[in-house]
Amino acid sequence: MTASPVVPSPFLRLRQWWTRPSAHPAKVAQFDRPLAPWLFVAPQLLIVAIFFYWPSVQAVTSSFYLEDPFGFGAAFVGLDNYREALSSTEYRNIAGFTALFAATVTALSLGLGLLLAVKADAVMRGAGAYKTALISVYAIAPPVVGLIGMMMFDMHIGPFTKAAALFGWEMRVGIDYRDTAVALITVAVWKQIPYNFIFFLSGLQAVPSSVREAALIDARSGWRRFRDVTLPLLAPTGFFLLVINITYALFDTFGIIDVMVKDKPANNPITLVYKVYLDGFKGNDIGGSSAQSVILMVVVAALTVAQFRLIERRVHYG
Amino acid sequence: MAEILLEHVGKTYPGGTQAVSDVSLSVADGEFIVLVGPSGCGKSTLLRMVAGLEDISAGTVTIGGRVVNRLEPAERDIAMVFQNYALYPHMTVRENMSWGLKNRRIPKDEIAARVEEAARMLELHPYLDRKPRALSGGQRQRVAMGRAIVRQPAAFLFDEPLSNLDAKLRVTMRGEILKLQKRLGTTALYVTHDQLEAMTLADRLVVLNGGQIEQVGRPLEVYHRPASTFVAAFIGAPAMNLLDARIEAGHLRLAGVDLGRVEGEARAVTLGIRAEDLQLLQSGGLPFRIDVIEELGAGRVVHGFVEDQPLCVSLPSGAELPAQLHLGVAPEALHLFDAITGKRLPQSVHRSAKVRA
């Protein structure tokens, strides 16, 4: 008997693992000494503690203090740092841009990744070459992507700037707020497409060929087949990528933004994460920066919970 | 409802592999045709060409008077049942059946009525709002049939639909498919590698070998007059015994025993004998050395040798058998094939005046 088609979803496995641990009685290792299992997990725990819990606690603590820029002392100020951040117009503007940036980057990179995956999936001849070409971008480090982006959008030699000029659009990336935003989004999307492409492609290839053939007999329109059969079967992959992409847009674009905006004059768009860095490490306002990062953490946590609650319910896992 | 006409149909894959060559077949309206053959004989390819899932390299396929070579699968007015059901896993049983109709812009109440009717016929009512995942293999296969039925197509195409079911369910479903097809009177093309399924379902059998038709005919006709050694060995269980024999001086001789009068020059022939056509004799006949006995309950299949040639015999269950048996066979139950080409020879064997059987 064949199993019903399963589109691989890392979340599903995770979920099964934690909601029904007894359903799959996994191998149970028996240790003679009670200390042994702790020793085995110790390295991992240590890493998590040092690089995640400790900084988190530090961030939360220092968000309640106003620190001397030179580190000579700190005064407890309660929620002042939060109040200041949330009431600042600049902070709100950046939060607004961050939301727009995250939404646009996620939507575009998911959409284009899916489009390319669907098209690459249909290619029979030379499929390997296409896939390699599309995936290879993923191997480029974010700062390098930022550099390439800067060259592409350079005011003097950038091909994109020249192309825009053909349509009468004088792009001034690094000077004009909107132009810089367009460049940032373009480069961030370009960097993320390969990741989505890989996942969507493997998701597509997990759709059984007989199901596609049944659809071929049932529906003449390719769009209907895609909308009613392929897309729902890709939903678990899509949901996984949605979470990953939002996180990417919020956090992992730091390197790109840093390279493209750093040392540029004028008022350029940045995201919240970059502002945390600017205030904390350039402005030496550790307290304010910590408060911002705590706010960001809460927002992302809330967003992820909301996604799981609202969207995952509609996702069909094979 | 429609007839299907295949004319010199061929399939060549890129790279030159010839999967099907020069197949011509005319299927009457309402006929149940079974394409049967071993794996790799091109039967599935042929079916998929009719469905439109494979391009047709040569020849024409006509369904209901319409050449469909260049039509999309959805435009061919056919419905297909796949081996692994191919249900849409995210849709309920009801949606699985109605989706194809929706795409054809059939009015809502008409769709509801057809789904209702199909569900009644296939006893799928309790499951209409379930997803395929929650169904057993047999139920899934019924849904797949339902999806085909509601379409009211010109022809049903079945691609080994029972292969994924267990043996008992297979027999039940076989009966259901047959009843359903007779009741609806829809032309059906059915692909299987199981000769028993082929025998029981078919109005006419098409035996395929190496991408070509070996024989077309009613099941019993194919069984009783196989056109070649290939068909003889493929149809019927246990497989027909094929032995090297000789025509000598107007007599057919096997292992030095005269089996009957036959016309023709002295030559080597392949002799076909069905296991159930052999009988036990007290003495004389073919000397048979027993090797293995398979007890089947209702009967037994005895494997052994006549001289050095393997032979199997179907016998009723009963007492212990001695190591050496004497076998006899009626001359009219003998099949003669060309020793080289394997094609059936026109001669038949007649009782010799002094036959010892």
Side-chain angles (χ1 to χ4, degrees):
Chain A
M1 190 165 309
T2 47
S4 60
V6 175
V7 178
S9 162
F11 283 148
L12 179 63
R13 254 172 277 148
L14 190 68
R15 183 150 276 239
Q16 280 173 344
W17 168 76
W18 109 52
T19 52
R20 282 180 283 144
S22 58
H24 306 281
K27 279 178 225 159
V28 178
Q30 296 289 336
F31 294 103
D32 296 337
R33 274 166 277 180
L35 195 62
W38 291 102
L39 283 175
F40 281 118
V41 290
Q44 183 66 29
L45 283 180
L46 209 65
I47 288 171
V48 173
I50 292 176
F51 291 102
F52 182 72
Y53 289 115
W54 187 55
S56 303
V57 172
Q58 285 279 304
V60 174
T61 329
S62 60
S63 71
F64 296 113
Y65 286 84
L66 186 59
E67 257 180 77
D68 180 275
F70 302 103
F72 290 130
F76 183 78
V77 291
L79 292 173
D80 270 6
N81 284 327
Y82 291 94
R83 214 167 288 140
E84 200 186 324
L86 292 174
S87 61
S88 133
T89 328
E90 190 207 2
Y91 185 82
R92 288 198 202 160
N93 284 342
I94 292 175
F97 173 74
T98 308
L100 177 78
F101 178 79
T104 321
V105 168
T106 304
L108 283 178
S109 51
L110 277 179
L112 292 173
L114 179 60
L115 181 72
L116 289 172
V118 167
K119 292 303 172 194
D121 187 45
V123 171
M124 306 285 280
R125 215 177 277 259
Y130 282 107
K131 286 173 198 165
T132 313
L134 284 165
I135 290 169
S136 57
V137 178
Y138 185 57
I140 307 174
V144 180
V145 170
L147 255 155
I148 296 174
M150 254 174 46
M151 308 244 279
M152 289 294 188
F153 285 103
D154 188 275
M155 263 189 282
H156 307 290
I157 57 159
F160 285 176
T161 314
K162 284 183 181 164
L166 289 179
F167 296 94
W169 178 9
E170 195 195 338
M171 274 193 108
R172 297 187 305 164
V173 173
I175 294 173
D176 185 89
Y177 185 92
R178 278 164 179 258
D179 291 354
T180 313
V182 169
L184 281 182
I185 290 172
T186 311
V187 175
V189 167
W190 177 62
K191 163 82 180 127
Q192 187 62 5
I193 284 174
Y195 187 84
N196 297 339
F197 171 76
I198 297 170
F199 275 85
F200 276 132
L201 189 65
S202 72
L204 279 171
Q205 286 171 350
V207 176
S209 58
S210 64
V211 169
R212 290 175 188 219
E213 287 172 355
L216 213 53
I217 292 174
D218 266 350
R220 209 191 142 190
S221 136
W223 164 244
R224 266 171 184 269
R225 291 197 297 268
F226 180 73
R227 189 194 64 188
D228 292 348
V229 176
T230 315
L231 206 55
L233 293 178
L234 274 183
T237 312
F239 176 66
F240 166 75
L241 287 177
L242 181 69
V243 176
I244 296 293
N245 275 259
I246 290 178
T247 319
Y248 161 80
L250 288 177
F251 296 105
D252 298 348
T253 46
F254 180 90
I256 297 173
I257 296 171
D258 187 46
V259 171
M260 291 185 71
V261 175
K262 184 170 60 181
D263 306 329
K264 290 281 165 24
N267 165 35
N268 279 317
I270 55 171
T271 61
L272 286 175
V273 169
Y274 198 69
K275 168 124 175 89
V276 168
Y277 160 78
L278 276 187
D279 287 1
F281 293 92
K282 298 278 161 134
N284 275 355
D285 177 11
I286 301 294
S289 159
S290 298
Q292 288 176 25
S293 67
V294 172
I295 294 172
L296 198 56
M297 197 161 74
V298 171
V299 168
V300 170
L303 208 59
T304 309
V305 169
Q307 283 173 335
F308 268 96
R309 285 274 165 89
L310 296 176
I311 304 176
E312 205 203 12
R313 221 179 283 162
R314 303 200 200 158
V315 171
H316 167 86
Y317 289 110
Chain B
M1 323 280 131
E3 58 271 352
I4 302 174
L5 204 61
L6 308 182
E7 285 166 299
H8 309 290
V9 171
K11 172 77 188 176
T12 315
Y13 282 109
T17 316
Q18 184 93 11
V20 172
S21 47
D22 198 30
V23 166
S24 295
L25 179 69
S26 154
V27 182
D29 185 14
E31 203 175 11
F32 200 123
I33 293 283
V34 176
L35 304 172
V36 66
S39 45
C41 72
K43 57 191 189 297
S44 276
T45 310
L46 192 59
L47 189 79
R48 291 165 59 80
M49 280 197 279
V50 176
L53 300 172
E54 301 269 359
D55 290 332
I56 299 164
S57 319
T60 54
V61 174
T62 314
I63 300 174
R66 213 163 41 126
V67 175
V68 296
N69 281 38
R70 302 197 148 271
L71 294 183
E72 294 274 318
E75 299 169 312
R76 295 191 178 193
D77 199 15
I78 44 101
M80 188 151 168
V81 179
F82 294 83
Q83 176 175 358
N84 52 8
Y85 325 129
L87 299 177
Y88 309 120
H90 58 291
M91 297 188 193
T92 62
V93 169
R94 190 191 302 276
E95 288 164 344
N96 258 287
M97 292 202 265
S98 54
W99 187 64
L101 300 181
K102 249 184 240 163
N103 294 332
R104 286 183 164 66
R105 300 179 196 288
I106 288 169
K108 264 205 176 109
D109 39 340
E110 165 84 17
I111 294 179
R114 286 199 201 176
V115 170
E116 188 68 21
E117 168 73 5
R120 196 182 52 70
M121 259 193 266
L122 295 161
E123 292 161 28
L124 281 173
H125 259 294
Y127 315 112
L128 277 180
D129 293 311
R130 288 207 201 158
K131 299 252 171 89
R133 188 169 34 157
L135 302 179
S136 70
Q139 288 163 345
R140 286 182 205 184
Q141 193 51 275
R142 278 222 208 75
V143 177
M145 305 245 307
R147 187 169 64 182
I149 291 171
V150 293
R151 290 268 310 278
Q152 301 182 354
F156 289 134
L157 307 179
F158 296 94
D159 192 2
E160 309 220 10
L162 305 181
S163 303
N164 279 5
L165 302 177
D166 63 56
K168 198 174 161 206
L169 204 52
R170 209 177 297 166
V171 176
T172 325
M173 288 299 290
R174 200 165 72 199
E176 281 188 35
I177 288 181
L178 190 59
K179 261 191 284 179
L180 215 59
Q181 192 268 346
K182 290 294 166 232
R183 200 162 129 199
L184 298 167
T186 309
T187 315
L189 272 183
Y190 187 109
V191 160
T192 183
H193 63 265
D194 180 344
Q195 57 91 20
L196 188 64
E197 227 171 272
M199 290 286 290
T200 47
L201 285 172
D203 288 330
R204 273 194 304 155
L205 274 181
V206 177
V207 185
L208 288 160
N209 179 25
Q212 282 171 319
I213 292 184
E214 281 280 327
Q215 189 172 9
V216 182
R218 283 179 291 106
L220 285 182
E221 192 179 296
V222 173
Y223 184 83
H224 289 305
R225 285 189 65 81
S228 64
T229 49
F230 175 82
V231 178
F234 193 78
I235 300 291
M240 184 188 276
N241 295 297
L242 295 170
L243 305 149
D244 296 329
R246 283 196 69 78
I247 297 177
E248 274 169 10
H251 287 272
L252 178 68
R253 303 188 80 87
L254 173 69
V257 178
D258 177 9
L259 291 175
R261 270 187 305 115
V262 67
E263 286 165 24
E265 321 210 323
R267 64 186 291 196
V269 293
T270 300
L271 169 66
I273 313 176
R274 294 242 177 243
E276 62 270 24
D277 289 333
L278 289 156
Q279 298 109 31
L280 272 183
L281 298 180
Q282 291 306 317
S283 62
L286 290 166
F288 179 70
R289 181 156 47 82
I290 294 182
D291 186 23
V292 182
I293 302 178
E294 291 177 337
E295 293 289 355
L296 302 176
R300 48 164 67 140
V301 178
V302 185
H303 297 263
F305 298 93
V306 167
E307 281 193 332
D308 288 332
Q309 304 199 57
L311 182 79
C312 68
V313 190
S314 289
L315 294 173
S317 285
E320 287 274 314
L321 293 170
Q324 284 283 346
L325 298 179
H326 302 277
L327 298 175
V329 58
E332 48 277 16
L334 298 174
H335 306 261
L336 292 183
F337 303 99
D338 189 293
I340 294 154
T341 64
K343 296 289 169 212
R344 189 180 186 87
L345 294 175
Q347 301 97 310
S348 50
V349 187
H350 303 282
R351 206 166 286 270
S352 295
K354 47 165 187 157
V355 73
R356 284 178 281 176

